[in-house]
């Protein structure tokens, strides 16, 4: 069970970039437990796995958290050289590696999303933006690495008259450690979506699914999501 948003008038207001995936779901609930007034922000950039946006909307409705889905599909032609945004590019399968999953890198994605989230924070008087970059992303995604987060945090402090802090609480954590934190909080990961394939059920074969399954295996528990195949055995 998750805790309700804080009603404390003195609680700080923050923006949480919330994709609907398990990392941002955990970040969202961590912020709730810290007692913040949260504005969740999701982005439709033409991703194939847009089901995550429906999941994010449903979670925020259940929690009573203000939630905005920003339609930025107009930039699709600028970022369509990725398997996540272009259905004509084959979705790679197998475990994460620099060789077979470079195709899932969306050009400049986090810089774009963070810039918009910082604007939202300034607009509503929020002093912080949270997002779910984590240690497992460092090998593939430059915009999840500590150097990027530190640089963007510096920019967020000087880009407006009102400084904003960029907060990535799991920057040095693995996905298994993030999941462990969420399980300790009693979170229900049926309320998340991870698969990149964009089908009715999670494929269990893409790198995102396999990393998720490995995290559950590392925590000696079973993923509550349904998969197209007996994917629970993939990483055991």
């Amino acid at each position: 069970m998750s805790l309700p948003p804080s009603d404390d008038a003195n609680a700080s207001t923050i923006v949480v970039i919330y994709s609907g995936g398990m990392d941002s779901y955990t970040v969202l609930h961590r912020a709730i437990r810290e007692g913040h007034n949260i504005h969740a922000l999701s982005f439709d950039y033409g991703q194939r796995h847009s089901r995550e946006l429906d999941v994010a909307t449903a979670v925020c409705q259940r929690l009573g958290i203000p939630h905005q889905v920003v339609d930025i599909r107009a930039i699709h032609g600028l970022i369509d050289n990725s398997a996540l945004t272009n259905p004509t590019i084959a979705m790679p399968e197998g475990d994460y590696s620099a060789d077979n999953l470079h195709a899932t890198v969306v050009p400049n994605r986090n810089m774009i999303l963070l810039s918009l989230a910082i604007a939202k924070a300034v607009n509503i008087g929020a002093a912080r933006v949270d997002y779910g970059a984590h240690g497992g992303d460092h090998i593939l995604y430059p915009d999840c690495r500590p150097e990027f987060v530190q640089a963007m945090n510096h920019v967020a402090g000087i880009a407006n008259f009102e400084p904003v802090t960029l907060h990535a609480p799991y920057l040095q954590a693995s996905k298994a450690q993030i999941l462990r934190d969420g399980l300790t909080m009693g979170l229900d990961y049926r309320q998340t979506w991870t698969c990149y394939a964009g089908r009715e059920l999670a494929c269990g074969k893409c790198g995102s699914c396999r990393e998720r399954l490995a995290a559950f295996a590392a925590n000696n528990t079973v993923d509550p999501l349904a998969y197209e195949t007996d994917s629970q055995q993939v990483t055991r």
Side-chain angles (χ1 to χ4, degrees), residues 105-184:
V105 176
V106 178
N108 212 35
R109 175 174 57 180
N110 282 344
M111 185 176 287
I112 295 167
L113 304 189
L114 286 167
S115 294
L116 295 172
I118 291 165
K120 170 77 172 181
V122 172
N123 194 51
I124 64 173
R128 196 175 95 182
V129 169
D130 288 16
Y131 93 116
H134 67 85
D137 284 338
H138 292 176
I139 185 173
L140 275 179
Y141 303 115
D143 57 4
C144 291
R145 294 172 184 166
E147 298 88 343
F148 173 82
V149 176
Q150 292 162 9
M152 283 298 293
N153 185 54
H154 175 69
V155 170
I158 63 175
N160 299 277
F161 289 116
E162 303 84 358
V164 174
T165 297
L166 179 59
H167 183 54
Y170 296 114
L171 187 59
Q172 302 293 348
S174 68
K175 205 174 196 76
Q177 290 169 325
I178 296 171
L179 177 60
R180 186 176 306 122
D181 198 15
L183 293 173
T184 300

